[in-house]
Amino acid sequence: MAIGTRLVGLLVVGLAGAAPQVSQPSITVSTSLSSTSTSPSALPSLTNEEQDELFSLHEELVNIPSISNDEVKCAEFVSDYLEELGYYVEQVPVGNTSTYNVFAYPQALKDEGVWPEVLITSHLDTVPPFYPFERREENGTIFHYGRGTVDAKGPVATMIVASHKFFQSRSDTPRLGLLFVVGEEIGGTGMKAFASYAKNTTFRAAIFGEPTEGKLASGHKGSLGLTLDVKGKSAHSAYPWLGVSAINYLAEAIVALNLLEPALPKSDLLGATTLNTGLIRGGVAGNVVAEAANASVSIRIARSEDDAVSVVRDLVTGFLSPLVERAKEANATFSLIFANSTYPAPILDTDVEGLEVAPVFYGTDIPSLPQVKKRYLYGTGTIEVAHTPNEGLSQDELLQAAEAYGLILRSLFPPNSTA
């Protein structure tokens, strides 16, 4: 069946000693919805046909490999799908690559010469490796498995179905745009490109889609990347005193950072700032004193103040400075290289009745699109299975998310709103 036709018309210790107009705090994230306020299930639900379309769309998206830097086929599919539904679609280039972001909104807005003032957005790219779609029934519940089912083709599919149903429920044309970006998993290259593309526009609100287990995220941690780079001197391992082991200095630095971690800034909302050394490289052989070694460190910042990044950077630099000096005295070089793309913890909007609220601890594209006044983060599935071979979610979770997105959209565009 042609793409989209199924949906058309449907509604510290120092180191020296150490639609178009178509007629870690104790808080934990759970999947339950508030029983004391209006839940999405109390609102108009998807029809059986819409449910089938959602499940099918999710399957089709997951079955298109879209590892970062290789998202063109998925972007083409989404572009074609939205065009067949009647939307005006812009393909927004991302740097000098062949890939692009998909930006869609009602043709009526295009005809009026106006842009959306609210965005609903998620990302098309996934981490490697690719795992194809698999549907399983477990204890009477149907699950969807495969790379991207949760992060973030679940949000993409539910956003498309929910937004189209929302447009069809209106007699006006809400100024809503659908934005599906690439490169989120590799530093937000797609969203940064869109931010530049829309540099003269300030959006009233944006709904970002990531796995939040069916809750509105009240905030997420900031980010600071660090590379530890050591240059020593090679020598035969039988005569280690003739060389300077870069690995020894690197290992000592990693242990030191683990000692520093409990002293890094904390917040009531997001708990502790955490630190992870996720990648280590060095040496050439077991019988050679290592001349070079480096490590990549990810720091998740729990504070939202403007100076939060600089505070953490200064703490790390000061704590490792004795080790840097000792390396220098041994005729080695020890460099601390901080990433340019950093941000403190974003505090997010949660003023939507009917959804529970909780923080999340990962990063998102939100800081890469600064020209947004109100920022909402919501999605289906759990981050605990994202980026793993067991990535998956239930069909019930997909339905919950589609209806919740509708709830958020209705809160941003009240009935008879001309926005």
Side-chain angles (χ1 to χ4, degrees), residues 50-350:
E50 289 166 338
Q51 291 180 28
D52 291 342
E53 178 65 21
L54 171 58
F55 302 149
S56 177
L57 175 58
H58 189 233
E59 177 177 349
E60 290 177 283
L61 286 168
V62 173
N63 264 333
I64 303 173
S66 56
I67 294 167
S68 302
N69 288 327
D70 190 20
E71 309 99 327
V72 173
K73 288 183 179 179
C74 192
E76 288 175 347
F77 173 85
V78 173
S79 293
D80 291 345
Y81 191 97
L82 292 171
E83 284 179 348
E84 286 211 26
L85 289 177
Y87 295 91
Y88 175 78
V89 177
E90 297 183 24
Q91 297 178 353
V92 182
V94 179
N96 296 320
T97 68
S98 61
T99 192
Y100 54 86
N101 299 319
V102 179
F103 181 37
Y105 47 94
Q107 183 66 45
L109 297 184
K110 175 65 175 176
D111 294 343
E112 293 172 18
V114 297
W115 251 25
E117 65 171 25
V118 173
L119 297 175
I120 186 165
T121 178
S122 190
H123 62 93
L124 300 175
D125 65 314
T126 70
V127 298
F130 171 69
Y131 296 110
F133 179 88
E134 182 183 357
R135 187 176 302 199
R136 303 182 210 159
E137 183 172 343
E138 301 172 4
N139 298 320
T141 299
I142 299 176
F143 289 83
H144 290 187
Y145 287 97
R147 176 61 78 222
T149 46
V150 170
D151 188 15
K153 293 176 180 179
V156 172
T158 51
M159 284 176 166
I160 290 173
V161 172
S163 296
H164 193 65
K165 185 178 181 73
F166 172 69
F167 276 122
Q168 298 237 326
S169 72
R170 303 285 294 224
S171 59
D172 58 350
T173 306
R175 290 180 60 181
L176 170 68
L178 295 83
L179 173 64
F180 302 113
V181 301
V182 298
E184 190 272 345
E185 299 288 3
I186 52 172
T189 55
M191 188 62 81
K192 290 172 183 175
F194 180 79
S196 177
Y197 179 73
K199 61 185 177 182
N200 296 322
T201 301
T202 297
F203 297 98
R204 177 166 66 89
I207 307 164
F208 296 84
E210 292 283 357
T212 66
E213 298 190 9
K215 292 191 176 185
L216 273 178
S218 50
H220 72 69
K221 289 190 178 181
S223 177
L224 174 61
L226 168 64
T227 298
L228 306 173
D229 188 73
V230 188
K231 297 292 190 297
K233 181 182 178 182
S234 64
H236 195 292
S237 63
Y239 301 87
W241 55 87
L242 297 179
V244 179
S245 173
I247 286 179
N248 285 353
Y249 280 100
L250 185 66
E252 190 172 347
I254 292 169
V255 171
L257 288 176
N258 289 335
L259 291 173
L260 173 65
E261 185 179 48
L264 295 176
K266 300 176 176 62
S267 73
D268 291 339
L269 178 63
L270 293 167
T273 294
T274 59
L275 181 153
N276 178 67
T277 303
L279 181 64
I280 298 174
R281 297 186 180 94
V284 294
N287 59 357
V288 179
V289 174
E291 181 178 13
N294 62 73
S296 297
V297 182
S298 177
I299 305 172
R300 304 287 184 172
I301 301 173
R303 299 300 294 267
S304 61
E305 293 83 0
D306 291 341
D307 65 346
V309 171
S310 60
V311 168
V312 173
R313 185 189 293 118
D314 290 347
L315 283 169
V316 170
T317 301
F319 200 67
L320 293 182
S321 61
L323 185 57
V324 172
E325 286 300 314
R326 282 201 285 113
K328 183 178 179 180
E329 292 170 1
N331 295 318
T333 59
F334 194 142
S335 302
L336 308 182
I337 305 168
F338 291 97
N340 291 325
S341 180
T342 66
Y343 54 87
I347 304 303
L348 306 176
D349 292 280
T350 58

